[in-house]
Amino acid sequence: MEKSYLEKIQIHKENKLAGLHPGAKLWVVILYTVCTFILNSIHLTEVGLSLAVIPWFLVVLILCAASGAMKKCVKAFKAVAFIALVIFVVQTFIVPGGEVLWRFGILRICEKGLRTAISLSFMVMDIAGIFVWYFQTTSNKEIARALEESGMNYKAVYVFTSSLSMIDILSGNSKTIMNAQKARGVETEGNMIVRAKAFFPTLVPLILGAVIGSEERVLTLEARGFSMQCEKTHMFNLEKSGLESTVKIASVVVTILVIAGRVALWIL
């Protein structure tokens, strides 16, 4: 039997963890972030390194694997890892202070620089990683519906979700323009200078396309009565996987254990 339109636009996820309500996922993200800051305050070794935040990233990897979204998250993880690596290198060799641990010519690693490098780089990895898991397992449509259910104004919800979707739209339009440039014989691959020469001319049609697209979206919204002050009809409804309570309790228990461990180390 053919499905109706309302049935087709619903999102059904077989994976229970990926199918969690966006509110439950946000609960996990917030508590994970809190635990990250707590673990970052634990200084180990004589130098006082925040080593506890390093294995903490394994929680993100476990969540991605259990949600069946590891392949989708790998590309984002590579970008996050590159940023964290740059922060680590810069902080290690630039920040002075404390005893010099290693020196080679003009390069040197000091205690403060190493502490700052490990703390900042893995804080970025952990916090950005958990947000990668959230957005890779939750569509913009689900986020918008969850925000409306929480009581947020529908106009603010639209601005937020359209900002998220605009990234994908501009990225797709940019690739289309670059492919058109290739078809015209314009060199778009090579060193940074060649890429820059090919990229900057694409900004004008990209920006103009975004402006025209925004005008079309405004007309579409007005045709659907977006600005009318009345009760809105929702055709898309969120589904719960059934693990929301379990995940919330588990995340709270882990957070309590992390806090208890930090207090115990502080007392001892």
Side-chain angles (χ1 to χ4, degrees), residues 43-49 51 99 101 111 115:
H43 303 295
L44 305 173
T45 72
E46 296 179 357
V47 183
L49 304 178
L51 299 179
E99 181 183 351
L101 302 175
E111 286 185 0
R115 283 198 303 267

Side-chain angles (χ1 to χ4, degrees), residues 146-195:
L147 289 175
E148 286 195 57
E149 286 183 354
S150 66
M152 183 181 288
N153 185 275
Y154 67 94
K155 292 182 180 180
V157 172
Y158 175 75
V159 171
F160 177 73
T161 53
S162 62
S163 300
L164 295 177
S165 61
M166 188 59 66
I167 299 173
D168 295 330
I169 293 173
L170 291 178
S171 177
N173 291 343
S174 177
K175 290 179 181 178
T176 302
I177 295 171
M178 293 297 285
N179 291 333
Q181 294 284 64
K182 287 182 183 180
R184 296 187 181 101
V186 177
E187 190 176 1
T188 59
E189 296 179 354
N191 55 37
M192 292 296 294
I193 298 176
V194 173
R195 290 175 181 267

Side-chain angles (χ1 to χ4, degrees), residues 95-110:
V95 177
E99 181 183 351
V100 177
L101 302 175
W102 179 83
R103 182 190 294 272
F104 181 76
I106 62 173
L107 299 176
R108 64 176 182 177
I109 299 177
C110 300

Side-chain angles (χ1 to χ4, degrees), residues 35-146:
C35 291
T36 301
F37 280 100
I38 295 172
L39 292 174
N40 187 57
S41 66
I42 300 176
H43 303 295
L44 305 173
T45 72
E46 296 179 357
V47 183
L49 304 178
S50 301
L51 299 179
V53 293
I54 299 177
W56 186 237
F57 185 71
L58 292 174
V59 175
V60 175
L61 298 179
I62 292 171
L63 285 174
C64 293
S67 303
M70 182 61 77
K71 290 184 178 179
K72 294 193 295 183
C73 296
V74 166
K75 185 177 180 180
F77 284 154
K78 288 181 179 178
V80 172
F82 176 76
I83 295 172
L85 179 62
V86 171
I87 293 173
F88 182 84
V89 172
V90 171
Q91 294 292 323
T92 300
F93 292 103
I94 298 299
V95 177
E99 181 183 351
V100 177
L101 302 175
W102 179 83
R103 182 190 294 272
F104 181 76
I106 62 173
L107 299 176
R108 64 176 182 177
I109 299 177
C110 300
E111 286 185 0
K112 185 178 180 182
L114 187 59
R115 283 198 303 267
T116 308
I118 292 178
S119 175
L120 286 179
S121 59
F122 282 97
M123 283 278 287
V124 169
M125 283 287 292
D126 290 341
I127 297 176
I130 195 66
F131 276 98
V132 167
W133 168 76
Y134 181 83
F135 286 107
Q136 290 297 330
T137 58
T138 313
S139 65
N140 293 341
K141 185 163 62 172
E142 290 177 298
I143 296 174
R145 189 69 183 94

Side-chain angles (χ1 to χ4, degrees), residues 239-255:
E239 293 183 355
K240 293 185 177 181
S241 66
L243 294 178
E244 281 76 13
S245 298
T246 304
V247 170
K248 286 183 178 180
I249 293 172
S251 58
V252 170
V253 169
V254 171
T255 305

